[in-house]
Amino acid sequence: MNDISPDIDPALIDRFAAIVGEKYALRDQQDIAPYLMERRGLWHGRTALVLRPGSVDEVSRIMRLATETGTPVVPQSGNTGLVGAQVPDMSGREIVLSLSRLNRIREIDVLSNTVTVEAGVILQTLQEAADAADRLFPLSLAAQGSCQIGGNLSSNAGGTGVLAYGNARELCLGVEVVLPTGEVFDDLRKLKKDNTGYDLKNLFIGAEGTLGVITAAVLKLFPKPKGREVAFAGLSSPEAALSLFSLAMDRAGAALTAFELIGQRPYDFTLRHAPGVVRPLSGDWPWYVLMQISSGRSAEDARALIEEVLSAGLEQEIVGDAVIAASMAQGDAFWNFREVLPDAQKPEGASIKHDISVPVAAIPQFIERAAGAVQSVSPGAREVCFGHMGDGNLHYNISRPVGGDDEAFLGLYHAMNKAVHDVVRSFHGSISAEHGIGQLKRDELIATAPPMAIELMRRVKTAFDPAGIMNPGKVI
């Protein structure tokens, strides 16, 4: 067995292991390794133990023992987070609590349009189960093949469906949470209307495992659309994209279920580096929009709506060129283009990433001002802008200059973050639209958020976790 030096008393490790059984208490460092690094490789940690409980009772017993012994616990779901919230620190004192074995779909209630799931259920598995019941679970992320519901809720995940259906918080009706003391808060209710005091579930959603361990949730389902149409459009500017969005909202209303903005640079990177993608439009444009319209009435209705929007856009010279997917397969190919786009930036060298939101109406101004801020920090750096324009969330990433040095560029990380985030704040925006705070943005949050907001967060943290054992060093 390849163990690290025991930063945790071996006798205590044995006590924790006895709760889940030796098979589900990982001590060998080869087995532990996948739990110690996040997907971008920015955060690394150490631990002597990964626990994989198979029941809520086991999670409760683990947390009781952790409180009794002052042992810090890092909850982890699919390990797809991008801000380091799920990674232990380098002290070796923290243990990782993996929720992957809590993977049952407990109930699908078609009449109530709800599903009750455990935290370790993979998002794609839930989507497929809902589809089999002739329902839609609309949360959609690039990592949906491996991310898990507990992590989706703990990070208040966003994705491409927020425009029509909201973030994970809006999709959740109730939660089951194990508190740091081991007590279980059972709030697995299906009610859409409930005004009985504080909405406690929303303290845990988006808390990134710092207040308790989400073990299950009741989530909303929706009727499956009877028609779906996807289109790719080429435009001259972000202002034109904003005009198209306004037009689409006026003509399609709630049937507009996605509106993604893609700059020319990430579009070109995807064509250059992503295997198997097909050019959506024959010509090149400075900006692109991927738009989806879903109809609850019929396929013909969805087709008529998207044709009406694009025809009006072409007539008003908002849209330069557009293509509507000729089949479901082509529509899926358009979406695949968007989903592989973030990874297509990697071959271009080091990058500095920003997950921001501003009011939708301010997006063109933000893009213009942020470009100037970027060039002031690193002349020749390449803005890679794409994201969920319909809800104001942009992934404003910066690739190093062509031929530049990766290490030197990454040395500008804090200066670049400050420059971009200063522009974000000038529009009263957010420096973390959907990825969370974790370790990556903790210090910036503390330094720049209103002092009263930080004080209230600390009071909440202290009230729920007075021993400070829940995911320490994350968020606040």
Side-chain angles (χ1 to χ4, degrees), residues 384-409:
V384 182
C385 180
F386 60 95
H388 321 301
M389 184 174 186
D391 55 59
N393 173 201
L394 296 177
H395 300 294
Y396 194 77
N397 302 339
I398 315 299
S399 284
R400 63 154 170 76
V402 174
D405 179 75
D406 282 355
E407 188 173 347
F409 182 69

Side-chain angles (χ1 to χ4, degrees), residues 60 67 157 202 207 292 432 438:
S60 173
T67 291
N202 276 326
Q292 178 172 290
S432 182

Side-chain angles (χ1 to χ4, degrees), residues 16 28 49 104 296 388 390 416 451 462:
F16 276 114
D28 187 286
L49 183 64
R104 291 187 305 128
H388 321 301
M416 188 68 78
T462 300

